[in-house]
Amino acid sequence: MHKYPANARRHYERLKRFPEGLLVMGDALCSFNPTYAQGMTVASLEGLALRDALRAPATSTPLWRRYFRAAARAVDLPWSLVTGGDSSYPESNWSQPLAARLTGRYFTMVQRTAVHDGAVFAMFIKVQNLVEPPAAFFKPAFVLRVLRVARQQLPQPPPAGAVARAT
C-alpha cells in the first residue's frame, strides 16, 4: 500500500515569474507512483540539472528558468514511461494518441513477457531504473524475443480485482 499511488507533475518551466533564491526539486517538481521506483533517480537527475544550470555561463536568463527547463527535459522520459504504463490500468480515464496506445500495448506485452523470460526481465528492470533508454525495447533482437515469447500463449494475469474477490 502506498500513501500516494499516483503521478503528479508541475510545469514550473512554463512560469513567467518565480521568486529569486528559491527552487523546487524532487516530489515538489514531479512525483511518481511509488511502484515504479523512479522518484529518487529522477530527483538525482534534477540535481544534475541544477548543477549544470549553476555551472553555465551567466546570461540574462535567470537561474530558476535555466534550471526548470533543464529539469523538465530530465523528467520528460521517465514521465512518459510511467504515464504510458499507467494507461493500461482500467481506471485510467485519459485519451492518448494512437502511437501512445500502440506503444502502451507493446510495453504491456514486454511486461507480460518479462515474467517468463529472464533476458526480457533484465532489460525491463534496466529501462525502468533509467540505466538503459527505452529505445532498448525497440532493438530488433529484443522485439523479436518479445514477440517469440508472447506467441507461446503465455498465461495471462487475472483481471483487476479478481484476486481481491477470490480472497
Side-chain angles (χ1 to χ4, degrees):
M1 179 186 306
H2 303 288
K3 190 169 183 175
Y4 301 104
N7 304 303
R9 184 171 182 183
R10 292 154 195 91
H11 290 277
Y12 291 97
E13 74 277 9
R14 296 179 184 167
L15 293 176
K16 303 272 188 248
R17 295 179 296 128
F18 194 81
E20 284 295 326
L22 297 177
L23 291 176
V24 177
M25 295 184 80
D27 284 351
L29 184 68
C30 183
S31 61
F32 292 94
N33 179 337
T35 60
Y36 293 106
Q38 291 186 328
M40 293 300 290
T41 303
V42 172
S44 298
L45 294 173
E46 293 165 12
L48 293 174
L50 176 58
R51 178 201 63 192
D52 294 345
L54 288 167
R55 287 183 178 172
T59 66
S60 61
T61 305
L63 171 65
W64 65 268
R65 184 171 303 281
R66 291 193 317 266
Y67 163 69
F68 285 137
R69 286 178 179 165
R73 286 189 300 273
V75 167
D76 283 342
L77 177 61
W79 181 258
S80 66
L81 283 172
V82 300
T83 57
D86 281 356
S87 69
S88 65
Y89 291 126
E91 297 85 6
S92 64
N93 59 359
W94 59 88
S95 63
Q96 293 187 319
L98 177 61
R101 290 193 308 266
L102 292 174
T103 303
R105 287 184 188 146
Y106 175 66
F107 285 154
T108 298
M109 188 184 305
V110 169
Q111 290 173 322
R112 289 182 179 157
T113 304
V115 174
H116 304 279
D117 185 287
V120 173
F121 175 75
M123 184 58 72
F124 177 79
I125 294 299
K126 288 177 184 177
V127 170
Q128 198 63 36
N129 289 306
L130 306 175
V131 174
E132 290 283 340
F137 283 160
F138 298 98
K139 290 181 179 176
F142 186 82
V143 171
L144 289 174
R145 185 176 193 109
V146 168
L147 294 174
R148 188 174 49 251
V149 175
R151 259 195 356 219
Q152 297 173 0
Q153 300 294 331
L154 300 174
Q156 297 299 312
V163 175
R165 287 191 300 273
T167 56

